[in-house]
Structures are given as C-alpha cells and as structure tokens.
Amino acid sequence: MYSLIKNKKILLGMLLFAAILCSGILASAQESRVVTLTGGSSYPGDSITVNVILDNPEGIAGIQCTIAYDSKILDIENKDITIGEALNKFTYDSNVIKEKSYLKFSAAASKGIEAKGGITLFSMRFKVKDAAAIGQTVVKADYVFACNDALEQIPTDSRNSIINIVKKGSTQGQTPSGGKPETPAAGTPAPERDGSMEIIIDGESQESFAVMSTREDGGKTVATVTLESEKLKEKLQNVKSKAVIAIPVRTGSGTVITEFYGDMAKLMELRETILKIDTGDAVYNLPVSEINIDELANAIGNNKRMQEIKVHIEISKDLEQGGRLLKDSAKKDGLTVTVPPISFIVKATFEDKTVVTERFNTYVERLLAIPEGTDPHKITTGVVVGANGTIRHVPTKVVFIDGRYYAKISSLTNSIYSAVWNPYEFKDVKNHWAKSAVNNMGARLIMVENENGIFNPSDSITRAEFAAVMIRALGLEPKQGENIFNDVKETQWYAGYINTACEYGIIGGYGNGKFGPEDKITRGQAMIILSRAMSITGLSADLKAGEAEDLLNEYKDMEDTAAWARESIAACIKTGIINGKIGKLIAPEDKITRCEVAIIVERLLKKSDLI
C-alpha cells in the first residue's frame, strides 16, 4: 500500500482518504478490534497516564482516532503523548486541539501489524487541574478508524476511560505521579497499620468493626485483621441477607490474614454473607457458606463450641518456593508468567488442631491485579501451581474495574494462582473452520496435541480423553488413588482424571464395573457429561415441565434417545452448547470429533461466564 510513498503527509493523507472512502460502508465480516483507554484515580494538581490499547492488531496497517476529554478538568500538551513501541515502524502524527478539547492521532505503515496480542498505541499524560471538583471524568475514543494495507476498513469498537478525581491523601484507587494504582475499596480510607479499622457493609463504612495488627515474620510483614464479633453480629441482624462485607487491607503486607470465630462464621453463613477481602494485589470474593463451618468443626472435633474455633482466611504474595516452582514450570512449558503468584488459604484452628478447606461447592472468584505496565491482552489464562510445581488451567477472564485490569479467576479449590501468556496454534488447523476454538483450548492448556505435534481435528475422541478435557476445562486436579472401574489401571495416564470426574459426579461407567476408557465417546454420552458439568459451572437450562420432550420432538431421531437421557440432551441443546445436525437430527450414537469437543467445551465455559 505505502511501500513507494516516502512523504509523511502523503502517507497519512492516504489514511485519511481511506477513512473518508470507507465512511458509511459496512466493514468486512471480521472480528471487531477493540480500542481500550485505561483509567484510574488522581487528585487536583496531580497527573495520570491514560494508555490507548488495541487488542488483536494483526493485519492493521493504518489507524486514526480522536480522543475527547473535559478541558475544565484535565489538561494535556503535545509533549505529553508517547508513542508505543509496537508502532516504531509506523509513520504517525498526533496533535492536541485544546480549543475543542480533543487530540487527534494517526499512524500508517506499508505492512500490517503481525502481532496477535494487545499493543499500546500511545500513552497520554493528563494534568488534573487544581480547581477540578471531586468526582469522575471520562476520556473517550470519540472516533476510531482502522484499515489493512489494501485500504479495506477493519471494524473497531472502543472502551472509554473513567478517571476518579479524589481528595489528596485518599486511597480510593489513587494513582500518584509515577506510582502504581491502588485497588479501590468502596470509597474507604486506608486503615491504620495497627489498631481499630473500618470495614464496609453493603457500601456503608463501619467504624471499629475490626482490629488490625502487623508483625514481622522472617523479614516479611504479616497483617492480621480480626473481626469484632459482637458488633458485627448485631449489625448483620439488621441488614438484608446476602450482605457484602468489604475488608480493605492495603498496607503493602506480604501476607494478609482475616480471622473470626466459628459462631460468627455460622451467622454469616445463615445470612448468606459474602466477604470481599482486598489487599491491593488481589480481591477475594468469598461466600461464607463455602467455608462450610459445620464440616470444619466436625473434622476438628469440636462441633458444639463454635465460638472456640477460629477461622483464618490467608492471602499471601510472599511465595519464594511457589514463585520458584511457577517460574521453572512455566519455562519448561514455554509459558510467560504475567501476574506474580498469590496463594489463598481457608482454614480453621482449635487448640493444636488445624483443618483446611480443600474444595468449594461452587466456583469462588478471586481477582488478581494485573501489574502496571503489563499488557492486559497478553493474559491467556489463569493457572494453579501444584505442590509439585505442575501448572494447570483454571477458568479465567480479564476484566476492567474502576480503571484497573484484573485476571478474574474462578476456582473450586484454594491454592496458588497466577496468570500466563501462551499464544498457541496447532499446525494442522491453520485453515480449519474450528481453528479459533481449537487454538483457544490449546492455549488454555485444556486440549493437547499428540506426540507428533498434531491435533487431528477430525479424529473421534475416547471416553478417557473426553474426561481429561472436562477436568482440565473445569480447572480441577487429577487425583491418583484406587479407581472404582476394573478396566482403569492406576498406572494409566488418564486414571487421575477419571478419579476426579467420578468424585465430582461428572461421569459414570457402563453399570458393570467398566468405564470403557478406550471406547470412542458418542454425542449422547458427551451431552450427559456436559449437562452434569453445567450443574458445577452454574449454567442452568431452566427446563419447564414437559419442555424437554417438546424440544426433542422437533428432531426426527428423537426416539433414538434413551428416555433417561433426554433431559440432559435437551439441556445441552437449549443452552446452545451442542446443536442438532443437518436434517434435524440429534444423532446421539454418532461419534464426536476432537474439533467438536473444543467448540462445545469453549461454549460451556463462555456461557457459564467463566472465560
């Protein structure tokens, strides 16, 4: 496109011409590219950086955007605009038009960008005016145009930046000059390092409801927050159920422990309370019912005196061994660690006994703050770091909350968590219709290639392989031990996956003590397993009485489905995880292929809002 054009003005002029030419014309049927403006908080007289990030930039050879801001609140100069490294081969131009409160940016090159992850187009350094009022202001992408090297428009979307203007000294997500943004905590001041502290119950600040103390342990700081039982009990009796108790502990401590007694845990469980513990590096959203205080009390041998059992919720970033294991395993597996590891532990103690909560009944959410300067588009998935250093996928999506990016990890257990960048493409699906889902499941460590580096998308899949894919997709650990099936040997690679799948009620055998691990799985069998997995992920088909029969009656081969399996099959079809085949067929006895498995597993996780 531009290979023979040397003059900067001509080059950018052609980009403008392309924008005009394509104006009003629908873009080609491509996936929309998203331009995101990062946000944060600052105070009058201070400065804040807004990064303009473009996801999936592959093939883009020209881009124009207009950024609008409120000049009554913010000020910017041309010298405050910094071009991202990804555009070092582009010809670019930027200009601040103060009288109209916007800046224009254009960039063009002779060849489209090859990168597939997110890139920073440019950064803007805004000065918050001294007279700016406390509140919020928006910096938005008023106009965005992108094209390839043939001047064909590429569809784009944009996400605006929200900047919180706070009082100087406040810690409501504040970003000091050159500093690192803090995680906001419902508008509360930072607690003192020792003594009484505030917590927030359903958005209202409560003074003296907790006490914090700090100590040094091996040269590392540990902050302990103890909830005041009597005050909290009285308060919870007078608020609605499902109250959220936010506990902001942004002291910079390597370990943060929140503790309270068993009777308090029981009351919070009955009131369906959710604890939101915010350390600045992580936010743990824990429904207290998932602690299962009754089970812990029974295990600890004291189920009659709950007030003597102490519950500890520990979040720690001081993980020398865990960090070392993660680094070694990531290097071996070719992964790039993008978020430092953080551990989460829930346990109960009584006298000299300690019992740890090993698993939850539903997915529990934790947010890992993506470090400043890390491209949020280079987060492929969250991972769990095992005690032996192994890494496995855990359902993860990147979210943008109050001006900061987080890796939102949903897990059925507690452990050490991190996030990695792992772009992946199977060699034999380059031109395959299902390559997007297949490569996504490969990048997330859910589906793997064979020993020759081939995926074989059209091959059918065995029952053992399908069980393994489901356990990886759900973020569960394959557990070794005595297997209930007489045709599954403990030494087989899939034994641990089958054990875990049985433990969670996802799979069953043939009813004769056999599982048939090497048998090819059918569509009907896969749909039964998927419907059971839906009960774990929280995806409901909400089938009304008689609805399953009515739905399946639309298919010609409905009578080929076993009566006992019809509700499971109908649930998969209604939620859109699996579709019927051409000719209005369910085809329950047809074998399912590897590429089909990649698609339906991706759909399960997406429709369950886990990725």
Side-chain angles (χ1 to χ4, degrees):
M1 168 186 172
Y2 303 121
S3 57
L4 299 178
I5 303 173
K6 306 299 183 182
N7 186 283
K8 172 181 175 180
K9 290 184 178 180
I10 296 177
L11 183 60
L12 296 175
M14 287 194 68
L15 174 59
L16 177 60
F17 172 73
I20 296 171
L21 183 67
C22 295
S23 177
I25 300 175
L26 291 176
S28 57
Q30 298 186 42
E31 181 182 356
S32 182
R33 318 298 175 87
V34 179
V35 172
T36 300
L37 278 62
T38 63
S41 297
S42 190
Y43 53 81
D46 196 28
S47 298
I48 184 169
T49 297
V50 175
N51 298 311
V52 181
I53 297 172
L54 172 66
D55 76 339
N56 190 19
E58 184 180 19
I60 289 180
I63 189 162
Q64 273 193 342
C65 57
T66 300
I67 308 298
Y69 63 96
D70 188 341
S71 59
K72 296 178 182 178
I73 298 175
L74 302 174
D75 193 17
I76 187 172
E77 304 288 346
N78 281 301
K79 62 181 177 59
D80 296 320
I81 301 172
T82 305
I83 307 302
E85 291 183 7
L87 299 185
N88 59 5
K89 294 184 179 179
F90 275 58
T91 297
Y92 56 83
D93 185 43
S94 61
N95 189 27
V96 176
I97 297 90
K98 287 196 172 188
E99 60 272 19
K100 294 187 178 180
S101 302
Y102 65 76
L103 65 88
K104 287 186 173 181
F105 175 83
S106 300
S110 60
K111 183 180 179 182
I113 297 172
E114 295 181 354
K116 295 182 179 179
I119 62 168
T120 298
L121 295 174
F122 60 98
S123 300
M124 306 168 285
R125 189 73 171 168
F126 287 97
K127 171 77 177 294
V128 181
K129 292 189 173 181
D130 293 336
I134 304 304
Q136 289 186 337
T137 187
V138 176
V139 178
K140 62 181 180 179
D142 235 10
Y143 167 79
V144 178
F145 170 82
C147 66
N148 59 22
D149 57 11
L151 287 178
E152 296 170 334
Q153 184 180 5
I154 296 174
T156 58
D157 197 358
S158 62
R159 296 173 184 163
N160 298 331
S161 166
I162 297 177
I163 297 176
N164 296 299
I165 311 299
V166 300
K167 293 180 180 179
K168 186 173 182 179
S170 171
T171 57
Q172 299 174 38
Q174 183 173 311
T175 308
S177 298
K180 179 178 178 180
E182 300 278 358
T183 304
T188 62
E192 299 294 332
R193 287 186 63 82
D194 289 279
S196 177
M197 63 172 282
E198 294 179 345
I199 62 175
I200 309 100
I201 301 178
D202 279 348
E204 293 185 3
S205 180
Q206 307 294 329
E207 295 184 5
S208 305
F209 271 58
V211 174
M212 187 178 70
S213 61
T214 57
R215 59 184 170 85
E216 295 296 317
D217 185 3
K220 298 174 182 177
T221 304
V222 178
T224 301
V225 176
T226 303
L227 299 183
E228 296 283 11
S229 295
E230 295 309 314
K231 287 186 176 182
L232 192 52
K233 284 179 184 177
E234 182 179 351
K235 182 67 178 179
L236 288 178
Q237 297 289 1
N238 296 303
V239 298
K240 62 181 177 63
S241 61
K242 299 184 179 179
V244 176
I245 300 178
I247 306 171
V249 193
R250 291 159 305 176
T251 59
S253 301
T255 299
V256 172
I257 300 172
T258 302
E259 59 182 27
F260 45 90
Y261 286 97
D263 57 339
M264 186 71 253
K266 188 62 182 177
L267 175 60
M268 288 192 285
E269 176 185 308
L270 293 172
R271 300 290 295 169
E272 300 180 81
T273 305
I274 298 171
L275 291 178
K276 179 181 179 180
I277 305 171
D278 180 353
T279 70
D281 297 292
V283 180
Y284 195 18
N285 294 314
L286 176 64
V288 178
S289 59
E290 293 302 316
I291 295 175
N292 203 337
I293 188 61
D294 290 326
E295 185 175 301
L296 290 178
N298 286 327
I300 215 166
N302 181 15
N303 58 355
K304 295 182 179 180
R305 294 180 293 173
M306 289 279 193
Q307 70 275 15
E308 297 179 1
I309 298 174
K310 185 172 282 188
V311 177
H312 308 260
I313 302 171
E314 182 178 309
I315 304 172
S316 180
K317 64 179 180 180
D318 283 337
L319 305 170
E320 291 184 4
Q321 182 178 359
R324 196 161 48 245
L325 289 172
L326 172 63
K327 183 178 179 180
D328 292 345
S329 292
K331 183 178 180 180
K332 183 185 70 170
D333 296 339
L335 312 175
T336 301
V337 177
T338 49
V339 177
I342 297 179
S343 74
F344 298 80
I345 300 172
V346 177
K347 61 184 179 182
T349 60
F350 173 69
E351 296 178 344
D352 60 346
K353 298 178 181 177
T354 299
V355 178
V356 177
T357 298
E358 298 288 351
R359 58 179 277 187
F360 301 123
N361 296 315
T362 188
Y363 279 99
V364 172
E365 174 190 296
R366 64 222 72 202
L367 304 175
L368 304 189
I370 297 174
E372 185 79 356
T374 298
D375 188 341
H377 299 89
K378 291 189 175 180
I379 307 290
T380 302
T381 187
V383 293
V384 175
V385 185
N388 59 356
T390 56
I391 293 176
R392 70 176 189 274
H393 158 269
V394 65
T396 304
K397 63 189 300 184
V398 174
V399 296
F400 188 64
I401 301 174
D402 293 335
R404 190 167 189 184
Y405 284 98
Y406 296 87
K408 186 178 84 168
I409 292 176
S410 300
S411 178
L412 292 163
T413 62
N414 270 327
S415 188
I416 298 174
Y417 297 88
S418 177
V420 299
W421 169 237
N422 182 40
Y424 198 86
E425 292 186 354
F426 292 101
K427 292 185 292 187
D428 57 336
V429 299
K430 187 174 182 180
N431 298 311
H432 196 277
W433 60 271
K435 71 175 182 178
S436 176
V438 170
N439 289 332
N440 187 21
M441 294 299 96
R444 289 179 181 270
L445 312 177
I446 294 173
M447 299 198 74
V448 297
E449 60 196 11
N450 64 17
E451 60 274 9
N452 298 318
I454 302 298
F455 182 75
N456 293 320
S458 299
D459 283 4
S460 53
I461 191 168
T462 67
R463 285 166 56 84
E465 289 170 333
F466 190 76
V469 168
M470 292 302 301
I471 293 306
R472 294 190 199 113
L474 297 173
L476 297 173
E477 179 183 9
K479 294 184 178 179
Q480 298 302 321
E482 185 177 353
N483 204 288
I484 64 172
F485 301 112
N486 55 35
D487 59 347
V488 177
K489 297 180 180 179
E490 294 180 27
T491 54
Q492 296 286 355
W493 69 266
Y494 47 72
Y497 292 105
I498 292 174
N499 281 342
T500 300
C502 285
E503 179 185 343
Y504 279 84
I506 299 171
I507 63 170
Y510 288 135
N512 57 359
K514 295 184 180 296
F515 177 71
E518 300 297 339
D519 294 351
K520 303 297 184 181
I521 196 165
T522 64
R523 281 170 53 88
Q525 293 169 352
M527 282 190 268
I528 292 169
I529 293 172
L530 284 164
S531 70
R532 293 169 180 166
M534 285 166 55
S535 65
I536 296 175
T537 66
L539 179 62
S540 173
D542 193 25
L543 290 168
K544 306 295 189 296
E547 187 178 0
E549 291 291 323
D550 291 343
L551 194 155
L552 297 183
N553 276 331
E554 297 178 11
Y555 295 88
K556 297 177 181 178
D557 57 349
M558 184 266 208
E559 295 300 326
D560 294 341
T561 62
W564 58 270
R566 288 174 185 171
E567 190 160 325
S568 294
I569 294 172
C572 289
I573 292 175
K574 183 178 178 181
T575 55
I577 292 177
I578 289 187
N579 299 319
K581 301 189 82 171
I582 294 175
K584 296 297 287 184
L585 299 174
I586 299 172
E589 296 303 319
D590 283 9
K591 302 300 186 289
I592 197 165
T593 65
R594 287 171 58 80
C595 67
E596 289 172 329
V597 169
I599 290 170
I600 62 178
V601 171
E602 183 184 58
R603 286 177 184 164
L604 170 67
L605 295 177
K606 284 186 174 180
K607 290 177 180 292
S608 301
D609 197 30
L610 294 175
I611 65 172

